Amino acid sequence: MKVCVVGSGGREHALADVLGRSSDVVVTPGNAGIPGSVSETPEEIDADLFVIGPEAPLVEGLADRLRAAGRLVFGPGADGARLEGSKAWMKDLLVEAGVPTARHATFTEADPAQRFLTTMAPPYVVKTDGLAAGKGVVVTDSEEEARHTVEDYLSGAAFGDAGRTLVIEEGLTGPELSVLAVCDGTQAVLLPPAQDYKRIGEGDTGPNTGGMGAYSPVPFAGPDVLGAVMGEFIEPTLAALRRRGIDYRGVLYAGLMATPEGLRLLEFNVRFGDPECQVVITRLASDLVDLLAQAAAGRLTADPVVALEPAVTVVCASAGYPTSPRTGDVIAGLAEAGAMPGVKVYCAGVRRDEEGNLVTGGGRVLNVTALGSTLAEARRRAYEAVDVIEWKGKYVRRDVAAVAATGEEQA
Ligand code: AMP
Ligand code: GLY
């Protein structure tokens, strides 16, 4: 089978690598570090299965266009992708489906939004309605910062049209959990759970990013928790989508928080999480091509998904990320890191310079991913590989999977 992966980041490198275990893979547009990258557009490529990585082309209807041309596509159409393309639409659907989520309201005008803020207690949570590359969410204890955020979003100054509608919601607390469900329109299978590190700084400090690292499995997410995720979040959402006439074939990614009152949904994404994908699919013992092709065809046979060893991924970022990443620095040690036991280095923001060197080309540059017999071993391997990779100003969070790995060693 020939598979075409659409996208250009570390998630797409991981997809190409894992799908490539059993198929020929091309990636469009890919990047300078992903083998099989091609410059043709998805519409120009002849493949048996298309797997669309990022949210933007899904929201813009790429899956619909490919399906209209008779292609087998893993990824929702523009109708289902509204779950991620509009937080206000998503929240309405959650209420309709009875899915537990934070209390919220949607605004397009400053006065009612500011009045609503006065009824909330810290932490204040303000989100752009539209896509903002994972950076449209502000969580703050400062009412003043929340008020400024409301102004910056509604005026279009911060995120253009994406922020002219915004959602203010109740601040929740508790550990987060990412669960990715592979859906065929009617049924779903869960992939192993993961935990993501969203903030730039150690100890979950500083601004939100696209994700600084991830690990899987998550010790607190045992079979009971996953059963609840399926029964209370995934299935009711798929049913509500169906009631709206939406045939959702792709990943339904539940971003959850385990609050003292129980699990709550923070958001749905309509694609594999980045960097959660890197750990989740690297662990799979079952064939990913088969699973995604079944879902794309609307007939999941729902074999249980078998996972191998624990995995940890650490994002190596450019100096200045997420505000103003510095680019163009030569990356050294990548081949050496990739040859270490259990390690895969996935390339995200990279390009070639005029001399042909691989250089930093974005904020999140590499995802160093390692399997190990325990989380502690996977973590140790990932950081050993991170340490042989060098460029000027390379930044990593040092605490990815630290708590989970320590808990495991004490158990
Ligand atoms: P989202 O893109 O909606 O998942 O938000 C990004 C991050 O902001 C989440 O991973 C959480 O860390 C944080 N967040 C989102 N919503 C809330 C909330 N209601 N309460 C507390 N933190 C939140
Ligand atoms: N890692 C979070 C996301 O993919 O949205």
Side-chain angles (χ1 to χ4, degrees):
M1 196 184 250
K2 182 172 169 187
V3 182
C4 174
V5 174
V6 180
S8 63
R11 165 184 50 210
E12 287 74 28
H13 193 171
L15 282 166
D17 184 48
V18 173
L19 294 167
R21 291 176 189 166
S22 62
S23 290
D24 293 331
V25 180
V26 295
V27 187
T28 172
N31 68 46
I34 307 180
S37 294
V38 297
S39 57
E40 287 93 345
T41 64
E43 285 92 340
E44 290 165 343
I45 291 169
D46 189 17
D48 306 300
L49 172 67
F50 289 77
V51 178
I52 303 174
E55 60 277 16
L58 292 165
V59 170
E60 285 159 12
L62 177 61
D64 303 300
R65 293 199 297 282
L66 291 169
R67 284 195 182 103
R71 302 302 196 178
L72 186 62
V73 184
F74 183 76
D79 52 1
R82 285 191 82 187
L83 271 181
E84 184 164 357
S86 167
K87 286 208 196 283
W89 190 86
M90 170 190 71
K91 283 288 205 173
D92 281 352
L93 189 108
L94 295 184
V95 171
E96 177 193 318
V99 168
T101 186
R103 187 167 69 86
H104 75 284
T106 301
F107 299 95
T108 53
E109 303 285 340
D111 288 350
Q114 302 290 14
R115 272 200 302 279
F116 186 72
L117 268 181
T118 63
T119 71
M120 307 296 277
Y124 303 95
V125 182
V126 185
K127 303 183 173 185
T128 58
D129 174 56
L131 294 182
K135 299 183 195 109
V137 177
V138 168
V139 181
T140 176
D141 286 330
S142 151
E143 190 175 336
E144 196 188 340
E145 189 185 352
R147 292 191 173 287
H148 282 137
T149 303
V150 164
E151 275 167 35
D152 290 348
Y153 283 9
L154 290 178
S155 70
F159 291 103
D161 287 345
R164 289 185 203 274
T165 299
L166 59 74
V167 173
I168 297 177
E169 67 181 38
E170 176 192 11
L172 304 174
T173 51
E176 290 184 46
L177 180 67
S178 303
V179 182
L180 281 54
V182 171
C183 304
D184 73 353
T186 326
Q187 302 179 76
V189 238
L190 298 188
L191 298 179
Q195 198 163 50
D196 181 18
Y197 288 72
K198 290 245 168 57
R199 303 281 187 129
I200 187 76
E202 276 149 35
D204 294 328
T205 52
N208 267 321
T209 69
M212 294 302 297
Y215 68 90
S216 172
V218 181
F220 79 81
D224 289 356
V225 168
L226 295 180
V229 172
M230 189 64 141
E232 293 169 32
F233 296 85
I234 302 294
E235 285 173 349
T237 302
L238 271 182
L241 288 166
R242 270 202 315 281
R243 282 196 296 277
R244 294 190 183 196
I246 297 172
D247 182 12
Y248 191 98
R249 301 183 188 188
V251 170
L252 185 56
Y253 159 145
L256 299 152
M257 196 173 257
T259 75
E261 287 77 42
L263 286 175
R264 297 285 181 273
L265 191 94
L266 298 180
E267 62 166 347
F268 274 127
N269 292 322
V270 298
R271 47 161 178 95
F272 287 101
D274 187 348
E276 292 95 321
C277 178
Q278 288 80 319
V279 284
V280 166
I281 67 171
T282 305
R283 299 186 60 213
L284 296 183
S286 32
D287 184 34
L288 186 62
V289 176
D290 217 28
L291 183 71
L292 303 191
Q294 283 177 18
R299 5 181 195 85
L300 268 179
T301 53
D303 290 336
V305 170
V306 182
L308 296 169
E309 300 179 305
V312 172
T313 192
V314 177
V315 171
C316 301
S318 301
Y321 179 72
T323 26
S324 48
R326 177 194 145 99
T327 59
D329 292 302
V330 175
I331 301 167
L334 197 141
E336 195 189 330
M340 294 168 76
V343 172
K344 294 272 186 186
V345 181
Y346 296 127
C347 294
V350 299
R351 59 181 166 80
R352 296 240 172 245
D353 69 6
E354 281 161 12
E355 283 96 58
N357 301 307
L358 200 68
V359 300
T360 60
R364 294 192 292 171
V365 179
L366 300 176
N367 312 141
V368 178
T369 307
L371 290 167
S373 56
T374 58
L375 268 176
E377 186 182 50
R379 176 170 197 276
R380 184 175 48 71
R381 287 175 161 179
Y383 279 108
E384 279 171 7
V386 161
D387 289 337
V388 306
I389 295 170
E390 288 303 335
W391 70 81
K392 205 167 167 190
K394 179 190 84 177
Y395 173 75
V396 293
R397 261 185 80 159
R398 289 275 155 194
D399 59 351
V400 174
V403 173
T406 309
E408 179 190 68
E409 281 179 336
Q410 286 167 352

